[in-house]
Amino acid sequence: MRLSHIATLGVKELRSLLRDPILLVLIIYSFTFAIYAAATAMPETLSRASIAIVDEDRSPVAQRIIDAFQPPYFLPPAMITQSEMDERMDDGRDTFAVDIPPHFQRDLLAGRQPAIQLNVDATRMSQAFTGSGYIQSIISEEIVAFLQRYRAVDVPAIGLALRARFNPVLEEAWFGAVMEVINQITMLSIVLAGAALIREREHGTIEHLLVMPVTPFEIMTAKVWAMALVVLVATAVAMTVVVQGALGVPIQGSVPLFLAGAAVHVFATTAMGIFLGTVARSMPQFALLLILVLLPLEMLSGGTTPRESMPTLVQVVMEAAPTTHFVLLAQGILYRGAGFDVVWPHFAALAAIGAALFGFALARFRATIGQMA
């Protein structure tokens, strides 16, 4: 092994990447707009939901209910007629439509139990279920306050001092931004490494490498360090410009320590990408294999759903996945301010998994080159 060969081949990989506009656009998009969109466009709680109200009663209690729907949970209600309600729901303009029937206040004061109709667009799953509970609570509170002529304040028997640690304002974007950075690191490192190998095969340059005085280890190592460098630079820019700058996410720990953990993680995932590149014979095949590998890595790593909620077998299997340890490492550093003395077991696990994947991919790479020679 000669370091000069590895360095030269790595520079060649970087030049090849610069001549590929599609991959360059993918890198820029993945570490800028994709992170910002994932952090802000899909809130898990109710936020600025569209609501329309049909007021057939025109009473003080109906007006109280209308005035209760305000941002940030709801947009200002659109006052519509009953004939417009179904049309607007069919067009997707309203997530919720409330119909207050005639004589609602009169029936309420007479001790009857009048019903208010609530129509929900259930295709908007992120808001439909939560919003229904919010609306029921708001309407019930306003009716009780109207009947009692004042807003009752229940004094609890005990006081609950709520302390939301690591995200005191309960801002979804703070969590979503970091998790999306982790997902993009995993995806891009696999894609770039695998695409680099497939590009060599499609362009015929792999045959040129076979007649040069370089070993498969040098070729593979060059691809790993070159693609890892690209991903790490893009990650550093994303953390500074998008996460901390545009989204204002407070980072509790050391960003350089996080980047060091990302480097070990990328070592494992680029080896995985090269292995997939040796299995696939074309970019479409590689894309199909990527779907089978990437989705379980991201969904079962614990970044979206706590691992404790998963079946025991899944937890055991995912211990061998690099993303599981990278998620724990990243959350510990960026959210809780953990130092190396806390996260070193995850560093060690990532290094061991990366070494195993690198060795496995190298054996497969040597066999593939042997068949082409």
Side-chain angles (χ1 to χ4, degrees):
M1 184 188 69
R2 295 182 59 181
L3 295 179
S4 59
H5 290 170
I6 296 175
T8 303
L9 291 173
V11 172
K12 178 190 73 68
E13 294 295 336
L14 295 176
R15 290 176 176 173
S16 298
L17 179 61
L18 290 175
R19 291 193 293 268
D20 193 330
I22 300 300
L23 286 180
L24 289 177
V25 171
L26 177 63
I27 294 171
I28 296 172
Y29 169 82
S30 299
F31 284 97
T32 53
F33 183 77
I35 296 173
Y36 187 87
T40 58
M42 297 180 64
E44 296 181 2
T45 58
L46 193 66
S47 175
R48 297 179 60 81
S50 58
I51 184 171
I53 297 180
V54 180
D55 184 6
E56 299 183 83
D57 191 35
R58 306 287 181 176
S59 63
V61 68
Q63 190 61 47
R64 289 179 68 112
I65 293 174
I66 295 170
D67 294 339
F69 295 101
Q70 297 293 334
Y73 298 120
F74 297 94
L75 292 173
M79 303 307 300
I80 61 175
T81 63
Q82 192 176 45
S83 60
E84 296 176 309
M85 183 169 61
D86 290 339
E87 179 184 353
R88 290 174 62 92
M89 291 288 288
D90 292 341
D91 291 342
R93 284 181 282 175
D94 298 322
T95 304
F96 306 99
V98 178
D99 187 356
I100 304 175
H103 312 301
F104 176 75
Q105 179 173 309
R106 185 188 68 183
D107 294 341
L108 196 65
L109 294 175
R112 305 185 185 96
Q113 293 183 339
I116 292 179
Q117 184 185 71
L118 172 62
N119 296 274
V120 182
D121 184 354
T123 60
R124 303 181 179 183
M125 289 301 298
S126 62
Q127 295 187 334
F129 179 76
T130 305
S132 299
Y134 274 59
I135 292 174
Q136 182 177 3
S137 177
I138 289 172
I139 293 177
S140 299
E141 182 179 344
E142 293 301 325
I143 291 175
V144 170
F146 174 79
L147 293 176
Q148 294 180 345
R149 298 294 190 269
Y150 68 94
R151 219 174 269 275
V153 179
D154 295 330
V155 179
I158 61 173
L160 179 64
L162 175 63
R163 183 186 180 192
R165 301 189 62 188
F166 316 123
N167 189 354
V169 296
L170 301 179
E171 178 63 48
E172 295 89 354
W174 291 9
F175 175 81
V178 173
M179 289 301 101
E180 189 62 19
V181 169
I182 293 173
N183 291 338
Q184 296 301 333
I185 291 173
T186 302
M187 182 191 73
L188 263 296
S189 56
I190 296 176
V191 169
L192 293 180
L197 182 58
I198 294 175
R199 184 171 55 237
E200 298 270 20
R201 186 186 300 119
E202 291 180 344
H203 294 174
T205 54
I206 191 70
E207 287 82 0
H208 298 168
L209 293 176
L210 295 178
V211 299
M212 295 176 64
V214 293
T215 64
F217 179 84
E218 293 171 348
I219 297 173
M220 181 171 166
T221 304
K223 294 182 183 298
V224 168
W225 82 255
M227 297 303 104
L229 178 63
V230 172
V231 173
L232 291 177
V233 171
T235 302
V237 173
M239 291 296 297
T240 303
V241 177
V242 181
V243 177
Q244 293 180 287
L247 295 171
V249 179
I251 301 300
Q252 301 298 325
S254 169
V255 174
L257 182 61
F258 165 72
L259 293 176
V264 184
H265 174 66
V266 169
F267 168 64
T269 50
T270 48
M272 187 183 302
I274 291 176
F275 173 78
L276 295 178
T278 61
V279 174
R281 295 299 176 183
S282 63
M283 283 302 294
Q285 288 185 5
F286 178 71
L288 292 176
L289 287 175
L290 183 64
I291 294 174
L292 296 177
V293 173
L294 189 61
L295 288 180
L297 286 179
E298 293 185 353
M299 296 177 63
L300 304 178
S301 62
T304 304
T305 303
R307 296 183 65 242
E308 295 78 9
S309 303
M310 302 177 189
T312 304
L313 179 61
V314 174
Q315 297 183 40
V316 173
V317 172
M318 289 304 294
E319 282 290 337
T323 49
T324 300
H325 300 280
F326 185 48
V327 167
L328 293 173
L329 178 149
Q331 290 181 343
I333 295 174
L334 300 179
Y335 291 148
R336 304 178 183 92
F340 183 76
D341 58 326
V342 175
V343 298
W344 72 265
H346 302 302
F347 271 89
L350 281 173
I353 295 172
L357 289 173
F358 186 88
F360 192 55
L362 180 59
R364 173 71 187 180
F365 184 56
R366 281 174 174 161
T368 303
I369 288 182
Q371 294 173 1
M372 299 179 62

